[in-house]
Amino acid sequence: MLARRTLICSSWALVVGLGLLAGCSKPAGGGAASAGGGETIAVGAFLSLTGSDSTFGIDTQQGIELATEQTNAAGGVKGKKIKIVAEDDKSSPQEASIKVKQLIDRDHVVAVLGEVASSRSLAGGQVANTSHVPMITPSSTNVTVTQGKDWVFRACFTDDMQGQQAAVFAVTGQHRTKLAILYAAQDAYSSGLAQTFRDEAKRLGATIVADKGYQKGETNFTTYLEQIKAAAPELVFVPNYYNDMVQVARQAKTLGMSGASFLGGDGWDSEDLLKGAAAELEGSFFTNHYAPDVPWPNSQRFVADYRAKFHREPSSLAAQGYDAAKLLYDAMTRAPDLKPESIKNAIASTKGFQGATGTLSIDANHNAQKPLVVVRITGGKFTYFSTAGG
Amino acid sequence: MQALLDALVTGLAQGAMIALVALGYSMVYGVLKLINFAHSEVFMMGAFAGFYLLNALGGADHPVLAAVCGTLGAMALAAALGVLVERIAYRPLRERSRGRASGNVRVTPLVTALGVSVLLKNVAQLAFTARYKSYPQLFGHTRLLIFVVTLVTMGLLQLLVHRTWTGKAMRALSANVEAARLMGVRTGRIIAFTFAVGSGLAALGSVLYCLDQSQAYPTMGEVIGTRAFVAAVLGGIGSIPGAVLGGGLIGILGELAKLTQYSGGQDVLVFFVLIVVLLVKPAGLLGKTGSEKV
């Protein structure tokens, strides 16, 4: 952890340092670079670089870093280089709003990128909205994150759409009509997905034979799984996070339930899920933003670039971070000037933006309209299965 | 009917683990009248010690050897940690407040205990990262094993407290520290011993817990710690059979709640029961006011 953080810090220092060097050398070179000069545009990022969700923050930061590097290499925005000012919110909503305030007041950033967790995007978004600085969240899917906030956008789909598409996939795509649901009752993400899944599945004519909420932080799922097993569903929808899912999957296996009987949401997307329970979940599905082997040219290019830079497989959070940054830079390029108001209007009018996670347009509610990917766990890996909605 | 029976069995196993942790709260309270909030973090540290030991000992290749030696090793490490916490954080405070009858005698160690809890949690996050560590899966079903291990441990502990000189000294200390000291009981040593035993039991509970529920992480102490504390209070804090009874009740109630449609609010039920019991019997189910404790 420490070593990794130092590595990231030093690589950031390197990027920033190189940016400064490039900036300094230009004026010395003469009038040719007068349009850009030594100026940089500061863009803020607030992410969970430490704390319980540190993998979310670090992956997203790498995606943003890659996007920024590519944009700067291609000449930057309006002839100026982008400089990312990244702040760590320590996986806490309180800290998130403080950091966003700092980015705006101290660093005078023109826009803010951030957070993965909806709770922290809500906290940070509140500050960005009242300060009138545009913000794009790469992967917060809770509906309320952008609701009623003129200055907050997202580069991903919402929980509503995800739950609904999961139900369509289960009932229409896989022809399963006896369904069960297991979700974390106190978690907005989990219970939100369960709610829309339940409604849509019923509308499509399926029956919910077992519907159990569990206490957040629960670790013993045996009793729930026994009840679900007794109800004999054809598919069990478990919209929770990967940490919980490892335990659910392992305990389900001791009860003799097949991995292929589970369906999840984007909360499953972590290499830790594969490390903990790849064998137990063989054949299961989940809805996601993206898969490493998704057959879209933009995604393939992103995966290759990411591998070359970081020597590992990108997670969907890295792809989302990359897209959010690229979306912002695209809007900044299209905007007539770099005033927050102009950037905001340019983001709002985004249509047909080609990202690593598919082609997206920003709708009237500031949400991204884009396709959703169904991923299957086979051979201990996440593999692309199909595309839905969009 | 089958569902009810299954839930009861799972509840008993869950309760047995909670009871192992509850014993630590109860024993320390019995001797020092201190609620050791750092206990849940000792539980967590025990889980990590077990994780590394189990893997080092060959994990799933030698399940029995790894389980037995790994558990004993984790217990020893946790016992050492418990004694260390007592020595560094609690003993200096106790010695400084000796003979004084102000309110601080109770409050200061309590605040220190909370501080130690936060410290240990953060140390664990730095040392092991916040990522969840998946335990090696040694056995399929562990419920029966957990239940038997807990019952045997309770029996041994009851023998220790009521049939040995050390146990007698612990009980003497619980009745009156100053009087015990005057009678020649080495109070410092007995207190350290109490911490060692309580922490060792917490580590036993945590390794069993992780073998059953599979993951170790720095904040794992919060959930189980709260339930164990409630179990200790419910059964009558300071009483060994009380901790076992409290743990069992909470385990079974929790599992039964999962059968209802209000399963998401399991803890609401648990705390409701606690409040009702305390209203009717303020000292807990088996707690006695003003008599023998430990």
Side-chain angles (χ1 to χ4, degrees):
Chain A
M1 172 76 200
L2 269 176
R4 198 162 157 201
R5 207 191 301 161
T6 327
L7 184 75
I8 288 160
C9 287
S10 49
S11 55
W12 269 106
L14 198 69
V15 169
V16 173
L18 283 178
L20 285 176
L21 273 181
C24 292
S25 64
K26 262 179 187 166
S34 62
E39 274 185 81
T40 54
I41 311 169
V43 170
F46 68 109
L47 296 162
S48 50
L49 301 177
T50 61
S52 56
D53 298 336
S54 57
T55 60
F56 290 178
I58 290 168
D59 285 4
T60 308
Q61 191 187 29
Q62 290 181 341
I64 295 175
E65 195 182 327
L66 182 65
T68 310
E69 196 179 270
Q70 289 179 358
T71 303
N72 283 342
V77 170
K78 296 190 193 305
K80 295 179 187 175
K81 301 281 186 213
I82 306 280
K83 184 186 147 205
I84 292 286
V85 186
E87 287 289 346
D88 175 18
D89 63 29
K90 303 185 179 113
S91 307
S92 126
Q94 289 82 4
E95 200 72 18
S97 47
I98 295 171
K99 294 297 182 189
V100 172
K101 195 140 192 58
Q102 247 176 39
L103 286 169
I104 293 170
D105 293 344
R106 186 194 62 194
D107 302 309
H108 305 292
V109 297
V110 296
V112 180
L113 292 168
E115 256 294 3
V116 174
S118 295
S119 56
R120 298 192 285 274
S121 290
L122 274 168
Q126 197 67 46
V127 176
N129 198 48
T130 45
S131 313
H132 292 202
V133 169
M135 169 177 138
I136 304 180
T137 162
S139 20
S140 289
T141 50
N142 189 290
V143 181
T144 55
V145 170
T146 55
Q147 238 165 33
K149 294 194 191 75
D150 216 15
W151 295 80
V152 181
F153 301 84
R154 81 176 100 218
C156 56
F157 48 69
T158 60
D159 287 342
D160 281 2
M161 182 193 160
Q162 190 178 190
Q164 188 204 348
Q165 288 299 330
V168 171
F169 170 78
V171 181
T172 336
Q174 296 289 302
H175 309 291
R176 317 279 175 100
T177 49
K178 279 177 74 184
L179 305 171
I181 307 176
L182 178 65
Y183 63 98
Q186 282 92 357
D187 187 86
Y189 164 77
S190 191
S191 51
L193 276 182
Q195 181 66 45
T196 44
F197 179 88
R198 189 183 297 124
D199 294 347
E200 182 71 10
K202 280 185 186 154
R203 204 181 62 78
L204 293 169
T207 43
I208 310 287
V209 291
D211 194 345
K212 303 302 293 186
Y214 64 82
Q215 175 101 34
K216 202 179 174 190
E218 181 58 70
T219 51
N220 188 346
F221 299 94
T222 312
T223 300
Y224 295 119
L225 292 168
E226 269 164 347
Q227 286 174 74
I228 289 172
K229 198 184 167 199
E234 292 164 331
L235 197 68
V236 189
F237 183 53
V238 195
N240 56 3
Y241 288 113
Y242 58 92
N243 286 328
D244 283 0
M245 196 55 208
V246 170
Q247 292 168 326
V248 172
R250 285 182 164 197
Q251 289 167 31
K253 196 193 171 200
T254 45
L255 297 178
M257 292 174 79
S258 144
S261 57
F262 289 103
L263 169 69
D266 64 328
W268 283 20
D269 183 33
S270 163
E271 52 193 15
D272 284 7
L273 182 71
L274 294 179
K275 262 191 234 158
E280 287 83 351
L281 284 172
E282 180 71 21
S284 61
F285 296 102
F286 66 96
T287 52
N288 202 3
H289 308 270
Y290 140 103
D293 59 341
V294 72
W296 302 327
N298 269 328
S299 312
Q300 291 305 322
R301 203 174 317 131
F302 162 73
V303 173
D305 291 346
Y306 186 92
R307 270 198 208 124
K309 188 166 164 62
F310 299 106
H311 310 290
R312 64 190 194 107
E313 286 294 313
S315 68
S316 93
L317 293 173
Q320 292 287 122
Y322 177 85
D323 272 7
K326 276 280 172 103
L327 176 71
L328 175 65
Y329 304 153
D330 171 70
M332 281 159 69
T333 311
R334 281 187 288 111
D337 53 59
L338 289 177
K339 290 201 189 91
E341 182 84 37
S342 322
I343 298 177
K344 183 198 84 175
N345 292 336
I347 300 172
S349 64
T350 302
K351 289 277 172 291
F353 168 78
Q354 306 276 327
T357 60
T359 304
L360 72 86
S361 300
I362 298 290
D363 68 13
N365 300 320
H366 291 192
N367 301 323
Q369 291 295 325
K370 64 196 266 194
L372 177 148
V373 170
V374 177
V375 181
R376 185 167 209 188
I377 300 179
T378 43
K381 273 186 3 201
F382 292 145
T383 46
Y384 171 76
F385 186 76
S386 65
T387 307
Chain B
M1 196 59 222
Q2 182 62 35
L4 193 66
L5 211 62
D6 280 330
L8 281 176
V9 174
T10 313
L12 273 178
Q14 188 79 3
M17 274 180 304
I18 293 173
L20 279 174
V21 185
L23 279 171
Y25 282 109
S26 215
M27 288 174 70
V28 168
Y29 183 84
V31 172
L32 287 183
K33 304 287 174 292
L34 161 72
I35 294 166
N36 180 16
F37 281 111
H39 191 60
S40 56
E41 266 47 65
V42 173
F43 168 85
M44 175 268 294
M45 287 292 193
F48 276 104
F51 171 78
Y52 288 109
L53 285 171
L54 283 180
N55 280 329
L57 288 164
D61 301 333
H62 312 98
V64 178
L65 171 91
V68 173
C69 298
T71 310
L72 291 177
M75 286 171 74
L77 286 174
L81 177 67
V83 173
L84 188 75
V85 166
E86 196 272 328
R87 179 65 60 89
I88 292 176
Y90 304 148
R91 185 178 290 184
L93 284 176
R94 207 168 48 240
E95 279 168 2
R96 223 171 290 171
S97 64
R98 184 179 296 156
R100 262 180 253 163
S102 72
N104 285 346
V105 177
R106 285 287 170 81
V107 174
T108 318
L110 198 71
V111 174
T112 314
L114 281 171
V116 173
S117 163
V118 173
L119 174 80
L120 286 177
K121 220 178 294 175
N122 283 290
V123 165
Q125 234 179 67
L126 276 177
F128 311 121
T129 79
R131 284 196 154 181
Y132 285 41
K133 301 249 185 307
S134 292
Y135 249 60
Q137 292 168 288
L138 303 183
F139 315 107
H141 269 297
T142 43
R143 289 187 296 194
L144 186 66
L145 176 80
I146 291 165
F147 194 57
V148 171
V149 168
T150 309
L151 280 188
V152 170
T153 314
M154 300 303 155
L156 289 178
L157 197 65
Q158 197 71 4
L159 280 182
L160 171 78
V161 173
H162 291 281
R163 293 273 184 278
T164 64
W165 281 106
T166 315
K168 198 167 218 173
M170 285 162 82
R171 283 180 289 147
L173 218 74
S174 150
N176 188 326
V177 182
E178 289 305 320
R181 196 198 310 280
L182 288 174
M183 292 297 135
V185 175
R186 298 170 116 162
T187 50
R189 213 177 262 190
I190 296 298
I191 288 169
F193 179 75
T194 309
F195 269 85
V197 173
S199 305
L201 292 179
L204 175 64
S206 70
V207 175
L208 288 173
Y209 174 87
C210 288
L211 282 177
D212 187 48
Q213 287 157 39
S214 76
Q215 285 170 315
Y217 48 97
T219 50
M220 69 187 291
E222 287 168 13
V223 180
I224 203 83
T226 317
R227 288 191 191 165
F229 177 60
V230 171
V233 175
L234 187 65
I237 195 157
S239 148
I240 291 175
V244 180
L245 180 69
L249 271 179
I250 286 195
I252 291 171
L253 273 177
E255 292 308 308
L256 290 183
K258 290 180 186 176
L259 293 176
T260 69
Q261 55 173 317
Y262 306 109
S263 50
Q266 202 200 118
D267 278 359
V268 178
L269 181 75
V270 167
F271 281 96
F272 181 72
V273 168
L274 175 75
I275 291 169
V276 170
V277 167
L278 290 187
L279 282 176
V280 178
K281 286 200 71 162
L285 289 172
L286 300 183
K288 287 171 246 162
T289 31
S291 73
E292 168 195 289
K293 278 187 179 163
V294 159

